[in-house]
């Protein structure tokens, strides 16, 4: 005996009879017990268990602030890296220091303006739709198609405002950089000072594209990304030195202010990544200097000049 094929039913009219298909589709309350058809909720709203679009009134958790801090630190570190690569071409280290400070001020102003321009406006606070799972970042991939008929488009910013505010921050960073940095270039480094600006005009669109495509993955993995990159950059910093002897690595690190600042920067990033881990204990802070210590102690065993082939 053939069983009758079942089908999914939901009310397509503006009445609250059934739940909407899909996890992110909802109905907007129009008043007098009337509701809109199933669709995407407005920005700043999210559908509840009854498929009604409700106003998000959540506040960012510590992890959310650390994520936003990571997205702020990323362009700042790239700015400093590009400026630092120009420093060998410049005889005046004070000019390079001014450019580092300028990049810090630019990013800080862009970050503050981004928070101010996000609801609640004019306050250093955020109203969020709390993030629960990876699919919240990719609602485009979860538009339902009941009974394989018409597709209901429910694409929305379920992680409001973590997705769009990062893109706004990148846009403001570019605008502020183009308003401030050219004046410094003209008076301090007219020949090579423009190179970091050109580099920023390349890496900002790349960062925006990475955020647009991999924003959810970055949100859930950024502590591990910070830890891994800090270890790699720490090793690259030491490996750049021609003399790999233990004594030279120690002396050059503690005697040169630039090397001390770079090492402290690596340790600060490593600490930041450890603090953002879902399971964090204060004893982990003691592991921060470990990568540098291990590299210094084992560098002599990996020196290519001491390798002999039979």
């Amino acid at each position: 005996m053939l069983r009758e094929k079942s089908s999914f039913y939901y009310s397509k009219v503006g009445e609250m009879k059934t739940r909407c298909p899909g996890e992110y589709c909802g109905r907007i309350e129009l008043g007098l017990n009337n509701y809109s058809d199933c669709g995407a909720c407005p920005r700043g709203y999210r559908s509840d268990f009854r498929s009604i679009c409700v106003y998000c009134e959540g506040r960012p958790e510590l992890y959310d602030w650390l994520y936003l801090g990571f997205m702020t630190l990323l362009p700042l570190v790239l700015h400093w890296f590009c400026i630092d690569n120009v420093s060998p071409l410049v005889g005046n280290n004070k000019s390079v220091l001014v450019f580092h400070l300028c990049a810090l001020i630019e990013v800080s102003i862009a970050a503050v303006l981004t928070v101010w321009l996000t609801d609640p406006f004019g306050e250093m606070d955020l109203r969020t739709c709390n993030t629960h799972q990876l699919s919240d970042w990719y609602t485009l991939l979860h538009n339902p198609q009941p009974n394989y008929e018409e597709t209901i488009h429910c694409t929305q910013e379920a992680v409001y405002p973590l997705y769009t505010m990062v893109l706004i921050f990148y846009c403001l960073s570019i605008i502020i950089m183009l308003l401030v940095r050219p004046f410094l270039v003209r008076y301090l480094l007219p020949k090579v000072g423009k190179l970091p600006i050109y580099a920023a005009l390349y890496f900002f669109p790349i960062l925006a594209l990475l955020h647009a495509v991999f924003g959810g993955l970055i949100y859930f993995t950024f502590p591990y990304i910070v830890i891994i990159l800090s270890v790699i950059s720490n090793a690259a910093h030491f490996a750049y030195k021609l003399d790999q002897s233990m004594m030279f690595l120690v002396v050059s690190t503690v005697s040169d202010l630039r090397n001390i600042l770079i090492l402290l920067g690596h340790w600060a990033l490593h600490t930041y990544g450890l603090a953002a881990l879902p399971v964090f204990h204060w004893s982990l802070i003691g592991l921060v200097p470990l990568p540098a210590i291990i590299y210094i102690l084992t560098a002599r065993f990996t020196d290519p000049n001491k390798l002999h082939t039979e």
Side-chain angles (χ1 to χ4, degrees):
M1 181 177 180
L2 296 177
R3 298 180 60 183
E4 183 180 356
K5 184 178 180 180
S6 61
S7 60
F8 179 85
Y9 170 77
Y10 71 100
S11 177
K12 297 183 180 181
V13 298
E15 299 178 0
M16 192 58 194
K17 293 182 178 180
T18 58
R19 292 188 72 255
C20 295
E23 185 175 355
Y24 301 103
C25 296
R27 302 180 190 271
I28 302 174
E29 188 173 1
L30 304 177
L32 298 178
N33 203 28
N34 290 325
Y35 298 86
S36 67
D37 296 339
C38 292
C41 293
R43 188 168 184 262
Y45 287 75
R46 183 163 179 178
S47 61
D48 61 5
F49 66 96
R50 299 174 299 169
S51 296
I52 298 178
C53 295
V54 295
Y55 186 73
C56 294
E57 296 181 336
R59 287 295 181 264
E61 298 178 355
L62 176 61
Y63 188 88
D64 298 327
W65 285 113
L66 291 175
Y67 166 75
L68 294 175
F70 168 73
M71 301 306 289
T72 304
L73 288 173
L74 194 57
L76 177 60
V77 171
L78 290 177
H79 272 310
W80 284 349
F81 175 78
C82 296
I83 295 172
D84 199 56
N85 282 342
V86 173
S87 60
L89 305 176
V90 183
N92 187 2
N93 291 329
K94 293 183 179 180
S95 298
V96 177
L97 183 61
V98 171
F99 271 79
H100 280 87
L101 182 61
C102 180
L104 175 62
I105 295 174
E106 292 169 4
V107 172
S108 300
I109 294 176
V112 172
L113 287 178
T114 302
V115 177
W116 277 356
L117 294 175
T118 307
D119 193 19
F121 301 103
E123 299 181 15
M124 291 301 296
D125 196 5
L126 294 175
R127 177 180 65 85
T128 65
C129 300
N130 295 327
T131 303
H132 303 292
Q133 53 194 355
L134 181 62
S135 60
D136 293 345
W137 290 81
Y138 302 101
T139 57
L140 176 65
L141 305 178
H142 297 274
N143 290 325
Q145 190 178 13
N147 303 321
Y148 301 98
E149 297 175 349
E150 62 177 348
T151 300
I152 304 178
H153 297 282
C154 300
T155 302
Q156 58 189 284
E157 189 181 7
V159 295
Y160 172 87
L162 300 182
Y163 192 91
T164 53
M165 71 180 302
V166 173
L167 299 177
I168 295 174
F169 165 70
Y170 289 157
C171 182
L172 290 176
S173 297
I174 294 177
I175 294 174
I176 295 174
M177 179 189 68
L178 294 178
L179 291 176
V180 176
R181 196 84 64 88
F183 294 98
L184 289 180
V185 172
R186 180 179 180 181
Y187 293 106
L188 295 180
L189 300 176
K191 293 184 178 180
V192 297
K194 58 186 177 182
L195 297 180
I197 298 180
Y198 294 152
L201 294 178
Y202 278 101
F203 69 67
F204 268 117
I206 294 175
L207 290 177
L209 179 61
L210 290 175
H211 173 69
V213 178
F214 303 107
L217 296 175
I218 295 174
Y219 175 83
F220 286 102
T221 61
F222 83 89
Y224 310 99
I225 295 176
V226 172
I227 294 173
I228 293 173
L229 290 182
S230 65
V231 172
I232 294 176
S233 61
N234 183 78
H237 168 67
F238 285 115
Y240 185 75
K241 303 180 185 301
L242 296 179
D243 190 347
Q244 291 291 299
S245 63
M246 184 186 306
M247 183 60 66
F248 179 81
L249 291 176
V250 174
V251 173
S252 62
T253 298
V254 299
S255 61
D256 190 345
L257 178 60
R258 178 176 177 272
N259 289 335
I260 293 177
L261 293 177
I262 292 176
L263 183 62
L264 292 178
H266 288 148
W267 288 0
L269 289 176
H270 202 78
T271 304
Y272 191 91
L274 292 175
L277 289 174
V279 180
F280 171 73
H281 192 272
W282 287 105
S283 61
L284 294 175
I285 301 300
L287 301 177
V288 170
L290 194 59
I293 296 174
I294 291 178
Y295 186 95
I296 293 175
L297 293 177
T298 61
R300 60 192 181 95
F301 300 111
T302 60
D303 189 351
N305 295 326
K306 296 182 179 181
L307 297 178
H308 301 281
T309 56
E310 296 297 336

